[in-house]
Amino acid sequence: MKSQAQLSTLLFELDSRGYKAYKQIKGEYEFEDDFTLIIDYVQGDPFAAPTQCSVIIPQAIAKFSEDLYSTLSREIALRDYLSRQFAQVAKEFSGFRGTGKSGLIQGIEPAQEVFERTSVFIDDQDIEVRFWVGLPAKGRSILGRQAEEMLCYDLPQIVKKSLLYENLDGAAIKEHIETVEDAEWIRSELDKRGLVSFIANGSILPRRSGVDPRPLTDNVVPFEAPTDLEVSFDCPNHGLIKGMAISKGITLIVGGGYHGKSTLLKAVELGVYNHVPGDGREWVITNASAVKVRSEDGRSIASVDISPFINHLPQGQSTQRFCSNNASGSTSQATNIIEALEVGATALLLDEDTSATNFMIRDRRMQQLIQKDKEPITPFVDKVRQLYKDHGVSTVLVMGGSGDYFDVASTVIAMENFQPHDVTTEAQSIAAAHKNERLLEGGDTFGEITPRIPVSESIDASRGKRSVTIKVRDTHALGFGTEDIGLGGVEQLVETSQLRAIALGIIYGKDKYGEANLALKDLVAKIMADIEEEGLDILSEYPQADLAYFRQFELVAALNRLRTLQIQ
Ligand code: ADP
Ligand code: MG
């Protein structure tokens, strides 16, 4: 291994030379402050993806006590905390030092959620942090002195400030870890207690804006559970936490427009993840198999059996193996539900704002005007009970616009001035007093969920000479080879690193299990089990800083939206 002094000398020597000469700095360097810098991949020009590096600090120097990472949830929380610290301090040192990305020092910047990422690792021996550096240049000529300053002077300071326990806020670390641990514990209790979700009193649900996930601060109304729906959890670290239970079964969220219905559902959706302390949703905890489904016209569909909801399409199109390059609102929503059920969703989350009206309701008058044999859709209201009864799948539904769901709901929560009220009894007596004359169209059973086996060759991420090309700009789309996978309708994705990992997960699954001809459910189960066993790094041949946790639901959602996908 070379020394820090050798890196220094080398960088001075490279000054003014052509950018490609930077390639020589690839390698490992022992720094005077007792950490190792590894330069894994050197960028080809100042505008290209920046140079990827990692730093390894021995625990003898970093000194994190073992109880801070003694269990998986503690370890993930600590890694998350350090990712945030490193990114923040790096940002202070990062600056514009020439052309393109020159001067950049960047760690992964997590959203509000805490989950496993490949940016930081920790064990008894050392801490590893992965990050990016924009090697500086003026035009295409190397700025060696500036590079030396960044790597040999700034970097040791960033490491010292953000990764040595003695320089960090011990109380904040403890709170971060204990919050995640308690949240994880509550999630593990939900099922036993018959709950889909829990929203603690005092939670702050609204966000600062549609593009800013930090908590709203002005005129915010904290959440308070109605007495009838209040439950409590005696958490390992934070003691008693009280809040509102959303039980299994069918829960309806009603209320006037702008009274906070969608905000509540959104928080429940993201409650499948843990959140950082201070987020306001750190005690909003949802069953990890709850899936948001919405309508998504325009998406592609590969041989999905949507016959529980849709039959007798015009021109005799099959709904047992329904295919479309351009689905309608109702067929896309039916598909999203069936695909979630196919891989084991135990709860569905729906919002009227993003649902197809004709998929959700069909009233008596319409039943009379358009007879059942002329309407392919069986509305969700006529299937939601059967879904719970036959498959044990709960539904949480925001519906302010129709009382037709009163007949099927087990709980009705009304949002009024951003506060929940239990109006179940009232809704039931209204339903009894004003009999709904609509005909029930759903039959006695929900119907079968038909497993699908993908055609391995139809999954292809190659582009030109490259066998794998993945591009991720935001959480709405994934460039996969020559295809663009639209993920705007998959609302439980929060970070681009998840999309990158999902893309690699699909390729991993194809390479490793493609020939086994597994059903989708079994294929994703294998991929998820391998990741759980070995970590996200198995998805990549070289170390990457920005791969993050995802669920099987989002993995399969991406695969299902791949327009080339074929089913056997
Ligand atoms: P609905 O779905 O009932 O029409 P939304 O959930 O979309 O209403 O909320 C309407 C607005 O109120 C949003 O701008 C949201 O950020 C804000 N809001 C939601 N909950 C609260 C709250 N507890 N305190 C303050 N503002 C809130
Ligand atoms: Mg709404």
Side-chain angles (χ1 to χ4, degrees), residues 62-90:
K63 292 204 169 75
F64 285 86
S65 75
E66 203 212 307
D67 64 303
L68 297 175
Y69 57 91
S70 52
T71 63
L72 185 63
S73 79
R74 288 185 157 237
E75 184 196 317
I76 287 172
L78 178 60
R79 288 164 59 187
D80 175 87
Y81 187 88
L82 295 177
S83 295
R84 290 169 198 273
Q85 286 300 309
F86 183 88
Q88 197 190 326
V89 177

Side-chain angles (χ1 to χ4, degrees), residues 45 59 76 88 96 99 128 141 164 189 192 197 217 228 237 274 298 343 363 376 413 416 437 510 525 530 545:
D45 72 72
Q59 279 284 25
I76 287 172
Q88 197 190 326
F96 182 70
T99 310
E128 177 184 353
S141 101
L164 305 196
E189 289 286 301
K192 295 177 220 165
S197 186
T217 46
D228 292 354
N237 304 303
N274 299 323
V343 291
D363 67 13
I413 298 165
E416 195 183 322
E437 314 230 296
K510 176 191 165 161
D530 288 357

Side-chain angles (χ1 to χ4, degrees), residues 126-182:
D126 37 46
I127 296 182
E128 177 184 353
V129 180
R130 298 175 185 167
F131 59 98
W132 301 279
V133 169
L135 293 171
K138 189 173 176 213
R140 295 195 46 85
S141 101
I142 289 178
L143 291 171
R145 196 180 54 76
Q146 279 87 336
E148 199 272 342
E149 190 177 78
M150 287 171 69
L151 292 176
C152 301
Y153 183 76
D154 291 351
L155 182 62
Q157 292 191 69
I158 297 170
V159 167
K160 223 178 271 177
K161 280 192 172 181
S162 66
L163 300 170
L164 305 196
Y165 184 78
E166 60 184 17
N167 296 330
L168 295 170
D169 180 347
I173 294 179
K174 185 165 180 278
E175 177 61 6
H176 202 84
I177 291 172
E178 293 188 346
T179 300
V180 170
E181 187 169 55
D182 282 350

Side-chain angles (χ1 to χ4, degrees), residues 5 79 101 155 205 207 285 292 359 365 451 469 530 534 543 547:
R79 288 164 59 187
K101 300 194 173 97
L155 182 62
L205 308 186
R207 300 293 99 190
I285 314 289
K292 170 70 179 287
F359 179 77
R365 286 178 171 171
T469 304
D530 288 357
E534 317 238 3
L547 304 181

Side-chain angles (χ1 to χ4, degrees), residues 256-263 351-353 398:
Y258 218 74
H259 277 261
K261 303 182 297 296
S262 296
T263 304
D351 192 330
E352 62 184 345
D353 293 350
V398 170

